[in-house]
Amino acid sequence: MTESHNDFSSVPNKSQLSMKADCENCFGLCCVVLPFSASSDFARDKDAGHACQNLQSDFRCGIHNRLRESGFRGCTVYDCFGAGQKVSQVTFEGRDWRRAPGIREQMFYVFPIMRQLHELIWYLSEALTLRQAYPIYDALSLALDKTERLTYLNPDSLLELNIPEHRAEVNKLLLQTSELVRDEARQRYKDSLKRKKNHGRGIDLIGANLKRADFRCANLRGAYLIAADLRGADLRAADLIGVDFRDADLRGADLTESIFLTQSQINSALGDADTKLPPSLTHPLHWFDPDKKK
């Protein structure tokens, strides 16, 4: 492993575990707050603010071990970045919306705000592990501290936050981090790297044949790679923040030095044992279980 790889063991002031969903300490917020429509990801429609019919009285999912087989694979790729337990146990101090119905509406509005803050914490924490981002380390640290403080505001204050403005401030630092990482990688790969195009945010590559494509050091922020063939593709040092990898074929692809890639993105894709991932991420079990690949 090189120094430029992600290493969450060195994240300052934040352990990786605190950014992982802890459903045992959440009041089933993602199963209630979020809407979904009948599709390949969900077996039926559900309106926002209405509990999924699979949510049990103890806030556990009644089909958790067979979500994919039951037509709810969308649930298996969603990640709240730990916002669920923060809202449940910290913001609302362990009061659940079933026993205290007076907090129901406010809790449901706070959850997506907290989820955005926790997502920003995840990205900032990763940026702080990257050697190339040292020139802006202090700015990243300040942004992380500020974002963490925001997560401890009371419900009323959280609802008053200007989240788009805060995201824009953080995004400037993440863009700088991306440039620093990719510029350094271009120097390392210069003997074999062809001139790379920085793709515009949200480029549509749905279903594209990108087998063995060389995306080293590319800016793929927000790209739509749904069902794209990326078998054997090289995505080292690529910026993958917000990329839609749903059903993308990543078998044999190399994503080892990619930045801002999340477990949720990997869970939504197809892959195999030859797919190389950053050390902070894991190969989803459904990649190796034929019954759960649907």
Side-chain angles (χ1 to χ4, degrees):
M1 184 173 71
T2 66
E3 288 183 23
S4 62
H5 285 191
N6 303 334
D7 180 4
F8 280 93
S9 63
S10 62
V11 173
N13 306 318
K14 180 62 60 180
S15 69
Q16 184 183 14
L17 289 176
S18 66
M19 289 291 100
K20 288 188 175 182
D22 179 4
C23 297
E24 294 296 320
N25 286 299
C26 176
F27 299 132
L29 294 180
C30 65
C31 305
V32 183
V33 177
L34 306 178
F36 52 73
S37 300
S39 63
S40 59
D41 289 325
F42 297 101
R44 58 179 62 88
D45 297 329
K46 188 190 83 65
D47 294 329
H50 292 264
C52 173
Q53 71 173 39
N54 299 312
L55 185 66
Q56 301 178 133
S57 59
D58 62 354
F59 298 110
R60 303 284 74 81
C61 175
I63 59 169
H64 177 73
N65 294 326
R66 58 181 192 282
L67 281 165
R68 283 183 169 267
E69 304 94 308
S70 302
F72 287 88
R73 68 173 184 171
C75 298
T76 69
V77 303
Y78 177 77
D79 189 355
C80 74
F81 295 98
Q85 65 259 28
K86 176 68 75 63
V87 170
S88 299
Q89 303 301 330
V90 178
T91 311
F92 287 89
E93 302 176 323
R95 293 173 293 155
D96 74 66
W97 52 270
R98 280 179 172 160
R99 295 185 178 183
I103 66 172
R104 175 190 174 103
E105 184 175 354
Q106 190 177 49
M107 180 180 279
F108 291 177
Y109 278 117
V110 164
F111 173 64
I113 293 172
M114 187 68 75
R115 197 265 182 194
Q116 291 187 67
L117 292 173
H118 272 230
E119 181 182 22
L120 294 177
I121 290 172
W122 180 275
Y123 291 135
L124 287 167
S125 296
E126 176 178 347
L128 283 166
T129 69
L130 301 171
R131 168 178 51 81
Q132 300 91 330
Y134 181 77
I136 59 171
Y137 185 92
D138 289 344
L140 288 167
S141 295
L142 287 173
L144 176 60
D145 289 342
K146 178 181 179 180
T147 307
E148 287 180 326
R149 288 197 302 272
L150 293 178
T151 68
Y152 287 95
L153 292 173
N154 61 49
D156 289 334
S157 297
L158 282 165
L159 292 173
E160 292 175 358
L161 288 177
N162 188 333
I163 292 296
E165 181 180 277
H166 185 64
R167 289 189 70 97
E169 292 175 0
V170 171
N171 191 51
K172 290 179 182 178
L173 293 172
L174 299 181
L175 282 167
Q176 291 178 48
T177 300
S178 174
E179 289 295 334
L180 289 167
V181 170
R182 292 185 295 113
D183 284 348
E184 190 271 347
R186 288 189 191 99
Q187 293 301 311
R188 285 189 286 117
Y189 295 134
K190 62 182 179 181
D191 293 336
S192 60
L193 190 66
K194 296 179 181 179
R195 184 174 180 80
K196 292 295 174 188
K197 175 182 178 182
N198 281 335
H199 298 286
R201 183 169 180 82
I203 187 172
D204 187 347
L205 295 170
I206 296 175
N209 181 3
L210 303 170
K211 188 176 181 181
R212 291 188 292 274
D214 186 352
F215 282 115
R216 286 177 296 171
C217 311
N219 179 4
L220 292 171
R221 295 170 67 92
Y224 292 95
L225 286 166
I226 301 170
D229 185 351
L230 287 159
R231 286 176 292 171
D234 193 340
L235 292 129
R236 286 176 291 172
D239 185 341
L240 303 179
I241 195 168
V243 173
D244 193 336
F245 278 116
R246 282 178 293 168
D247 294 325
D249 193 339
L250 295 174
R251 287 177 292 174
D254 190 346
L255 302 95
T256 48
E257 294 180 45
S258 61
I259 56 174
F260 304 135
L261 179 67
T262 67
Q263 189 66 51
S264 178
Q265 288 170 287
I266 290 300
N267 291 349
S268 71
L270 308 175
D272 60 15
D274 294 323
T275 304
K276 298 178 182 178
L277 300 176
S280 62
L281 306 180
T282 60
H283 292 77
L285 293 178
H286 68 263
W287 283 7
F288 312 103
D289 187 341
D291 294 330
K292 294 187 177 183
K293 286 187 176 182
K294 297 180 180 181

